[in-house]
């Protein structure tokens, strides 16, 4: 699946997107965040406090306990601040 | 008629108002948000999620047209870098009567704050800091119900 990062999550990870293939057992967005945290020190810094993160699956906002299902695109980012 | 735009270009108020006025309404309500010079901010940078942003704003405008009898709804959001005093967001609604236009306009700007994927970064000279989301924005969005 493609994972997209925005704002300070993108800066800490050091990339705006990457393609990942999580193992079986990673079934929710929260699971994915925990798994991604192990990929590098930048990922660990981005995902150290999951409660500060928000997510979208295939461009729809979802809670962190949402199942990944057949997600093609998962985005992880801080709470939005537009307007 | 729904018009959504997310772009780095400055927002042309006269052109946007003229366009929505052409729809045969009895009243137009609009909100214009400007970049504030909070605590010495020299520049604001707006990041967004291309594709999802436009979809979220379209869905928001559609929910307003279902809730109120609108003849038009426009949401324009600027992205990229801008300076204090420049327009960052413009929302306008057209209806036969003022109450629907005014309420729908307030709904759109309240919901846009928490329901569309934009992120602000403030620059003060060489320093840059991501803006934190406000609890008061969640409350403002929540007053319109589910």
């Amino acid at each position: 699946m493609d994972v997209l990062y925005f704002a300070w999550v993108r800066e800490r990870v050091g990339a705006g997107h990457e393609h990942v293939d999580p193992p079986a057992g990673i079934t929710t967005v929260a699971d994915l965040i925990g798994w991604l945290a192990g990929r590098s020190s930048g990922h660990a810094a981005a995902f150290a406090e999951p409660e500060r993160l928000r997510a979208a699956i295939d461009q729809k906002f979802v809670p962190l306990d949402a199942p990944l299902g057949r997600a093609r695109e998962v985005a992880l980012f801080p709470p939005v601040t537009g307007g | 008629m729904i018009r959504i735009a997310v772009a780095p270009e400055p927002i042309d108020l006269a052109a946007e108002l003229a366009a929505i006025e052409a729809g045969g309404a009895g009243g137009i309500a609009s909100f214009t948000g400007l970049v504030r010079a909070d605590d010495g901010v020299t520049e604001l940078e707006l990041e967004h999620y291309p594709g999802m942003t436009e979809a979220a704003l379209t869905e928001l405008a559609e929910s307003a047209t279902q809730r109120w009898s609108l003849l038009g709804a426009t949401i324009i959001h600027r992205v990229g870098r801008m300076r204090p005093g420049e327009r960052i967001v413009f929302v306008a609604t057209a209806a036969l009567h003022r109450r629907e236009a005014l309420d729908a306009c307030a709904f759109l700007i309240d919901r846009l704050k928490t329901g569309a994927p934009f992120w602000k970064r403030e620059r003060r000279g060489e320093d840059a800091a991501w803006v934190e989301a406000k609890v008061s924005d969640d409350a403002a969005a929540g007053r319109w119900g589910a």
Side-chain angles (χ1 to χ4, degrees), chain A residues 10-70:
Chain A
R10 170 180 55 72
E11 289 184 326
R12 290 182 189 182
V13 168
H17 60 90
E18 59 187 333
H19 188 81
V20 299
D21 195 7
I26 302 298
T27 61
T28 68
V29 175
D31 292 343
L32 179 67
I33 289 170
W35 178 74
L36 287 168
R39 283 173 69 86
S40 75
S41 59
H43 288 78
F47 302 127
E49 298 172 276
E51 66 278 8
R52 294 185 65 200
L53 300 174
R54 300 294 181 270
I57 292 180
D58 293 332
Q59 307 199 351
K60 297 273 185 196
F61 290 111
V62 294
L64 298 190
D65 61 1
L68 292 168
R70 294 172 177 274

Side-chain angles (χ1 to χ4, degrees), chain B residues 25-87:
Chain B
I28 310 289
S30 74
F31 174 85
T32 306
L34 308 178
V35 177
R36 282 190 308 267
D38 283 351
D39 309 322
V41 169
T42 50
E43 192 177 64
L44 190 71
E45 205 177 325
L46 245 291
E47 179 169 332
H48 78 299
Y49 183 168
M52 180 173 169
T53 311
E54 292 82 352
L57 295 179
T58 301
E59 197 173 307
L60 191 58
E62 283 168 351
S63 67
T65 60
Q66 282 161 16
R67 193 159 170 170
W68 291 278
S69 292
L70 300 182
L71 294 162
T74 297
I75 306 175
I76 313 288
H77 208 299
R78 203 172 163 196
V79 290
R81 294 177 164 207
M82 55 206 92
R83 295 183 170 279
E86 293 186 342
R87 296 170 196 130

Side-chain angles (χ1 to χ4, degrees), chain A residues 7 10-11 73 78 81 83, chain B residues 47 49 118-121 130:
Chain A
R10 170 180 55 72
E11 289 184 326
E73 184 175 292
T81 55
Chain B
E47 179 169 332
Y49 183 168
F118 292 102
W119 299 273
K120 287 189 185 112
R121 175 157 55 182
W130 292 99

